[in-house]
Amino acid sequence: MTQANLRMFPVKTLIAGRLNMKWNEILKKEEYTPEEPDKTVIQLTELLKNKHTKRVLDLGCGAGRHTVYLAKQGFETHGIDISETGLRKAKNRLEKEKLDAALIKCDMKTLPYVAHCFDTVVSLFTIYHNTKKGVKETVAEIHRILRKRGTTLLNFQSKRSHKHGKGTKIEENTFIQEDEPEKGIIHHFVDEDEIHELLKGFKISKIQLEEHEYKGYLQSRWIVLATKD
């Protein structure tokens, strides 16, 4: 893999040790480390190939299911996460498949890449683990590192989710979960209007509300595909 044009600068990790340890604990659980890629990433692949995409970032890669899948598709793939457990599992999966990808531990709000260096950023089940300010900062970082007309695939927790309103409220539509397995983890919930507010600077080509019941609870997420203006 050639990375001659991808320079990195050192950054200080801003994630508190307690939160880092919590994600290490969560990512030891099988239910949080599936191997099959999300269907939205599979659907995205054809579009990326048609756009002659080369370099892709999996932001919040966890145990690496999307990092592995994207590397298999022939993209120059990079993954970031705050969890050593997740990154170790991602590395092991890549080695098992004899694939190459660059993995870095860092905070999603402070990405260690120069501007305009990625064609695509994929971030699923990640960006909403923030306050609203944190979500805005992460979106700003995605915008910064994407090239012009670069693509991003994101999802957000919907206000219709069964988790909305549960736990300790720290601001409007933002709650720290009090029940395992995500006890202590922040969730920010949005509606469609807020998605447009958060993604200023992007042209949104798709917003889709996806819902299903799991163990009697409604899981509700927004899937968003957008292009940097």
Side-chain angles (χ1 to χ4, degrees), residues 18-145:
R18 182 178 59 82
L19 183 58
N20 185 14
M21 289 174 61
K22 183 61 184 177
W23 277 113
N24 283 338
E25 179 184 329
I26 289 173
L27 286 169
K28 291 176 182 176
K29 301 178 186 297
E30 186 175 346
E31 63 186 293
Y32 282 85
T33 57
E35 295 193 15
E36 289 299 312
D38 192 272
K39 64 182 180 181
T40 59
V41 177
I42 297 173
Q43 293 165 356
L44 178 67
T45 301
E46 185 176 350
L47 170 65
L48 297 185
K49 290 182 176 179
N50 288 338
K51 293 181 67 173
H52 306 292
T53 295
K54 294 181 180 179
R55 185 177 294 137
V56 180
L57 174 65
D58 183 8
L59 191 159
C61 64
R65 60 172 172 156
H66 297 131
T67 304
V68 170
Y69 177 77
L70 292 164
K72 276 185 179 179
Q73 303 307 307
F75 301 114
E76 180 188 321
T77 307
H78 299 253
I80 71 104
D81 205 275
I82 64 165
S83 166
E84 296 96 340
T85 297
L87 291 169
R88 184 169 58 251
K89 288 190 174 187
K91 181 176 181 291
N92 290 341
R93 288 178 176 179
L94 287 163
E95 290 177 348
K96 181 180 178 181
E97 298 285 346
K98 295 181 171 57
L99 296 168
D100 189 18
L103 302 176
I104 295 177
K105 177 186 173 184
C106 71
D107 182 347
M108 71 179 102
K109 300 188 294 298
T110 315
L111 300 175
Y113 306 103
V114 297
H116 320 307
C117 64
F118 283 99
D119 300 305
T120 298
V121 174
V122 172
S123 185
L124 299 183
F125 307 102
T126 298
I127 195 170
Y128 52 79
H129 292 304
N130 267 313
T131 60
K132 184 173 182 177
K133 180 176 181 287
V135 175
K136 286 182 175 181
E137 290 172 349
T138 304
V139 170
E141 279 290 84
I142 292 171
H143 190 276
R144 181 183 67 81
I145 65 173

Side-chain angles (χ1 to χ4, degrees), residues 153-217:
L153 174 67
L154 308 169
N155 72 353
F156 296 87
Q157 283 278 337
S158 161
K159 291 181 183 179
R160 287 172 48 82
S161 169
H162 75 95
K163 292 182 179 180
H164 182 254
K166 304 289 179 60
T168 302
K169 182 176 180 179
I170 58 173
E171 64 181 19
E172 193 67 25
N173 298 312
T174 307
F175 304 85
I176 298 177
Q177 300 297 297
E178 294 180 347
D179 297 324
E180 296 293 353
E182 293 188 343
K183 183 177 180 179
I185 301 297
I186 295 174
H187 288 66
H188 180 70
F189 300 83
V190 302
D191 55 22
E192 187 170 352
D193 288 342
E194 186 171 329
I195 290 172
H196 284 280
E197 175 192 345
L198 292 169
L199 292 182
K200 289 179 180 177
F202 288 88
K203 180 180 179 181
I204 298 175
S205 55
K206 173 184 176 181
I207 297 183
Q208 177 182 334
L209 184 64
E210 182 183 273
E211 298 184 328
H212 67 275
E213 283 198 6
Y214 179 72
K215 295 183 178 180
Y217 294 99

